[in-house]
Amino acid sequence: GNSVTQMEGPVTLSEEAFLTINCTYTATGYPSLFWYVQYPGEGLQLLLKATKADDKGSNKGFEATYRKETTSFHLEKGSVQVSDSAVYFCALSRPTGGYQKVTFGTGTKLQVIP
Amino acid sequence: DGGITQSPKYLFRKEGQNVTLSCEQNLNHDAMYWYRQDPGQGLRLIYYSQIVNDFQKGDIAEGYSVSREKKESFPLTVTSAQKNPTAFYLCASSKGEGSQPQHFGDGTRLSIL
């Protein structure tokens, strides 16, 4: 079946540090890949997406590249801010049983300190 | 602005009681979903619906029920058969195609009295 593996958290960084959150996936065919962000007490918000190999998704300074050869979709940001503190979820979407099933990773908590 | 509204934000259930969580969307999306979120476990799919009057069980449907009488609404009932209902429940919707992201509500936190 499909699965998504994210690096364990929490990740604690100082403001302006470089961020990488690793994500690898297992799926047949060509899934669509997503990063979502969840702030405390809220639902998930789409951060960025990529739909085919070598696509780069980007938003708000975050980037992730769809790497088919390594089945990865690592999230990066060059300079984090305190406001980036949240839980980040990697996810994939594939047709399953007639609908688009989304499989989420377990989430990685990011804490940015001033 | 279009979006998904979940209510209530906090809900308490007594033993043996059924409770219903509301989810309404004005995004004109065909597909709607219910997820359960427990600490450290990510999101698990409870039920999903691709069109009105049709819904399917997800990975953890036991102890839950849903209905989809209107395109905009997808309420979830947590029945007394669900022995461990304490969790954060998230409703989502999408256009249903694979490359389209899901849009989420702000969730309902259910606790046992």
Side-chain angles (χ1 to χ4, degrees):
Chain A
N2 302 330
S3 67
V4 175
T5 302
Q6 291 182 232
M7 63 188 290
E8 292 280 335
V11 173
T12 302
L13 295 173
S14 298
E15 204 164 23
E16 299 184 3
F18 185 86
L19 168 71
T20 300
I21 299 178
N22 290 337
C23 171
T24 57
Y25 67 89
T26 301
T28 55
Y30 299 92
S32 295
L33 301 175
F34 307 87
W35 275 101
Y36 288 87
V37 60
Q38 184 179 35
Y39 298 100
E42 297 183 6
L44 278 67
Q45 302 173 25
L46 177 69
L47 184 58
L48 52 85
K49 72 174 187 179
T51 59
K52 60 183 187 295
D54 299 325
D55 264 4
K56 177 185 280 188
S58 61
N59 186 27
K60 299 180 182 179
F62 291 90
E63 293 183 338
T65 301
Y66 190 142
R67 300 289 187 198
K68 182 71 174 173
E69 62 279 12
T70 54
T71 62
S72 64
F73 193 54
H74 305 322
L75 182 68
E76 296 182 336
K77 186 176 185 183
S79 176
V80 294
Q81 305 301 311
V82 172
S83 58
D84 293 327
S85 298
V87 180
Y88 293 81
F89 290 90
C90 185
L92 68 83
S93 176
R94 278 286 292 146
T96 303
Y99 90 107
Q100 293 291 341
K101 181 177 175 67
V102 180
T103 301
F104 291 88
T106 54
T108 301
K109 184 175 183 178
L110 170 66
Q111 189 171 32
V112 180
I113 54 177
Chain B
D1 282 344
I4 298 179
T5 301
Q6 289 189 241
S7 62
K9 192 166 180 67
Y10 300 95
L11 187 59
F12 297 91
R13 194 191 89 169
K14 295 179 181 178
E15 293 288 340
Q17 185 182 44
N18 294 350
V19 292
T20 298
L21 285 60
S22 171
C23 177
E24 303 278 332
Q25 55 100 356
N26 60 2
L27 298 165
N28 199 32
H29 285 167
D30 289 315
M32 296 186 74
Y33 313 81
W34 274 105
Y35 292 94
R36 171 178 171 142
Q37 185 177 21
D38 295 284
Q41 293 193 41
L43 278 67
R44 292 184 288 170
L45 181 66
I46 304 172
Y47 268 97
Y48 66 95
S49 168
Q50 292 179 277
I51 56 172
V52 174
N53 292 322
D54 185 60
F55 49 83
Q56 304 296 329
K57 292 181 179 181
D59 300 320
I60 56 164
E62 186 174 348
Y64 301 96
S65 66
V66 294
S67 63
R68 186 86 187 277
E69 297 176 2
K70 299 186 299 181
K71 186 175 185 177
E72 302 79 17
S73 179
F74 191 41
L76 173 74
T77 296
V78 183
T79 75
S80 57
Q82 172 49 245
K83 297 307 178 187
N84 184 24
T86 298
F88 191 50
Y89 291 87
L90 287 164
C91 179
S93 71
S94 75
K95 291 184 180 178
E97 296 134 12
S99 64
Q100 297 301 317
Q102 295 189 352
H103 297 252
F104 285 82
D106 281 341
T108 294
R109 187 166 298 280
L110 175 62
S111 302
I112 297 299
L113 282 178

